[in-house]
Amino acid sequence: MECVRIEGRAYVGGRFTRVKLGKEGCRTLQFSNDYLILPGMVDLHVHFRDWGLSHKETLTGGAAAALAGGVVAVGDMPNTKPHIRTAELYRKRLEEGSKLPVTYRLHMGVPGDLAELDAAKPGSVKVYPEDVEAYGWGHVEALMRRCAALGCVVVFHCEDPAYFKGPERPPEAELRCVERVRALASLTGAMVHLTHVTLPQTVEASRGWATVDVTPHHLLLDVENCRDPGLCLVNPRLRTPETRKALLAALAAGLVDIYATDHAPHTLAEKQSSNPPPGICSLDVALSLLLALWRRDVITLADVVRLYSHRPARLLGVNTEGTFVVVKLEEFTIRGEEFAGTCKHTPFEGFRAFGRVVATATKGRIYLKGEGVYSL
Ligand code: NCD
Ligand code: ZN
């Protein structure tokens, strides 16, 4: 494989500097100041599906979407078919993920038998509202105790199903879950991460005992500006414009720890059906949506790197050294048909974004968009 070397302007350690990346003797690619080099991004919440759900997305398709979006490491979710609740399935999936061109981590599903945790030693466990329904809060408490002892992070999709009203999932379900988990965290000493939080009150309430992430869709889409019944359906639900803007204000105030997509692919036919499944595709463009907030002065470039690289890398235990992404500092319009993954539809269709990803480098290779793969 031919090797290349990259020269250009990078944002490193909080300042802009010119860098040369790669080995001497390789063909040099010069990037002008219309481009910017950033550390590789890390998305701690994706659904790469595969297994029984490969018509929605595959591990390779998901990895292609990640590389297209400047993402070099992912935290995959366990709600595959079957759901990953045993050490055996956990190891099998990790083994498959380790072959991907991106760094692969997996959040284990809640096991019925907690001894599975001792055998699997996962870095993190993902708790769904469905797990609370199936096993009860008592089991969640026991799981948190075990994780406190083993050092795993307990990642919550925090909505208490007791407050669902039929198909409706009101904000109250999130508020009540956060209260409950806060009490359990102090009781058990478990490390807690609250994923895809939607309310500014949750961000506020998490201080000191949990980390939180927010998604591009809860920051940018709401029940007014996103109305397609299929494409806009997601769990937790999109909120009112007021709530969304308050969440964005919390991000701008530096109160949010992490940005993560919850990239959750379904087929277009499924999303357009009379009973669409929840989930939004955004992995290809999540970095550019975040950079658009920098462009609009809502957040700083330091925030971008902290939210979508440093902090999630720390949570997943991933080293991003030697990884980078090159973006072209221009505005562009999002087109799902240009996505590299299996999923090519998105409620962000037609949205303006900033910072087009032109190259992603990780695991000793660089993926140049429209050109191919080279060694570094
Ligand atoms: C998730 C999925 O499709 O896997 N969907 C979503 O809207 N976030 C599952 C879920 O969280 O219910
Ligand atoms: Zn999810």
Side-chain angles (χ1 to χ4, degrees):
M1 192 184 287
E2 191 199 340
C3 70
V4 296
R5 194 165 194 225
I6 303 294
E7 273 190 46
R9 191 168 61 116
Y11 182 73
V12 190
R15 56 191 193 91
F16 293 95
T17 170
R18 286 205 74 76
V19 293
K20 288 183 187 173
L21 302 161
K23 296 185 204 76
E24 261 177 66
C26 300
R27 177 163 66 98
T28 302
L29 301 176
Q30 300 266 4
F31 285 100
S32 71
N33 281 352
D34 296 340
Y35 296 82
L36 182 62
I37 302 169
L38 297 169
M41 299 297 141
V42 178
D43 200 313
L44 67 68
H45 190 148
V46 301
H47 298 263
F48 278 1
R49 312 287 193 206
D50 219 311
W51 288 13
L53 302 169
S54 49
H55 59 292
K56 296 176 192 274
E57 179 81 284
T58 58
L59 282 160
T60 7
L67 290 173
V71 170
V72 298
V74 296
D76 197 12
M77 287 295 162
N79 64 335
T80 45
K81 224 176 170 178
H83 200 111
I84 298 162
R85 300 187 191 279
T86 62
E88 194 189 338
L89 280 181
Y90 179 74
R91 285 201 202 100
K92 180 166 181 262
R93 180 78 171 186
L94 271 188
E95 164 71 24
E96 289 180 27
S98 70
K99 298 188 183 112
L100 293 176
V102 294
T103 298
Y104 183 84
R105 294 287 184 273
L106 176 62
H107 306 284
M108 185 166 165
V110 174
D113 176 0
L114 295 179
E116 294 290 340
L117 293 179
D118 301 68
K121 297 198 174 48
S124 53
V125 179
K126 171 72 185 292
V127 182
Y128 282 92
E130 291 80 1
D131 297 316
V132 173
E133 264 176 330
Y135 301 103
W137 282 107
H139 191 69
V140 174
E141 181 180 335
L143 168 98
M144 289 171 78
R145 278 190 207 285
R146 195 68 72 104
C147 263
L150 293 171
C152 37
V153 181
V154 187
V155 178
F156 278 90
H157 171 157
C158 212
E159 290 188 284
D160 188 334
Y163 297 89
F164 291 166
K165 297 191 173 103
E168 270 182 62
R169 294 166 159 248
E172 193 187 8
E174 178 171 316
L175 293 172
R176 296 301 176 118
C177 175
V178 172
E179 276 173 24
R180 172 82 77 142
V181 172
R182 179 184 202 157
L184 292 178
S186 96
L187 205 63
T188 61
M191 285 185 281
V192 171
H193 179 73
L194 307 174
T195 193
H196 53 45
V197 308
T198 66
L199 309 173
Q201 295 95 312
T202 303
V203 176
E204 189 62 40
S206 70
R207 281 206 207 177
W209 63 275
T211 49
V212 296
D213 74 64
V214 297
T215 67
H217 45 273
H218 293 115
L219 289 171
L220 301 170
L221 303 174
D222 56 52
V223 293
E224 295 290 323
N225 71 5
C226 195
R227 287 171 174 273
D228 184 296
L231 287 187
C232 303
L233 186 72
V234 67
N235 289 336
R237 299 291 197 249
L238 297 180
R239 304 301 189 197
T240 63
E242 294 71 36
T243 301
R244 173 181 74 76
K245 284 174 194 159
L247 188 69
L248 197 53
L251 183 88
L255 301 175
V256 172
D257 302 289
I258 290 170
Y259 173 80
T261 54
D262 188 13
H263 176 76
H266 300 284
T267 66
L268 186 59
E270 287 168 338
K271 291 297 269 176
Q272 289 177 335
S273 74
S274 56
N275 187 22
I280 284 173
C281 299
S282 61
L283 191 51
D284 292 72
V285 290
L287 172 60
S288 303
L289 288 168
L290 194 62
L291 286 169
L293 293 177
W294 166 52
R295 171 73 163 179
R296 283 170 42 206
D297 276 332
V298 177
I299 56 173
T300 66
L301 195 53
D303 290 328
V304 171
V305 172
R306 171 180 59 85
L307 288 161
Y308 205 29
S309 182
H310 292 167
R311 290 301 308 267
R314 213 201 294 166
L315 193 143
L316 290 178
V318 162
N319 185 356
T320 55
E321 230 170 276
T323 74
F324 62 89
V325 45
V326 186
V327 296
K328 187 167 190 203
L329 298 172
E330 64 178 10
E331 265 199 52
F332 66 98
T333 303
I334 292 176
R335 298 286 173 223
E337 64 183 22
E338 293 170 6
F339 284 8
T342 317
C343 180
K344 299 194 189 293
H345 57 78
T346 177
F348 292 111
E349 183 73 30
F351 266 57
R352 299 291 284 168
F354 182 75
R356 200 191 280 278
V357 174
V358 297
T360 304
T362 185
K363 293 191 172 181
R365 293 186 170 182
I366 180 159
Y367 300 80
L368 286 172
K369 223 172 250 180
E371 261 216 60
V373 192
Y374 299 89
S375 74
L376 263 181

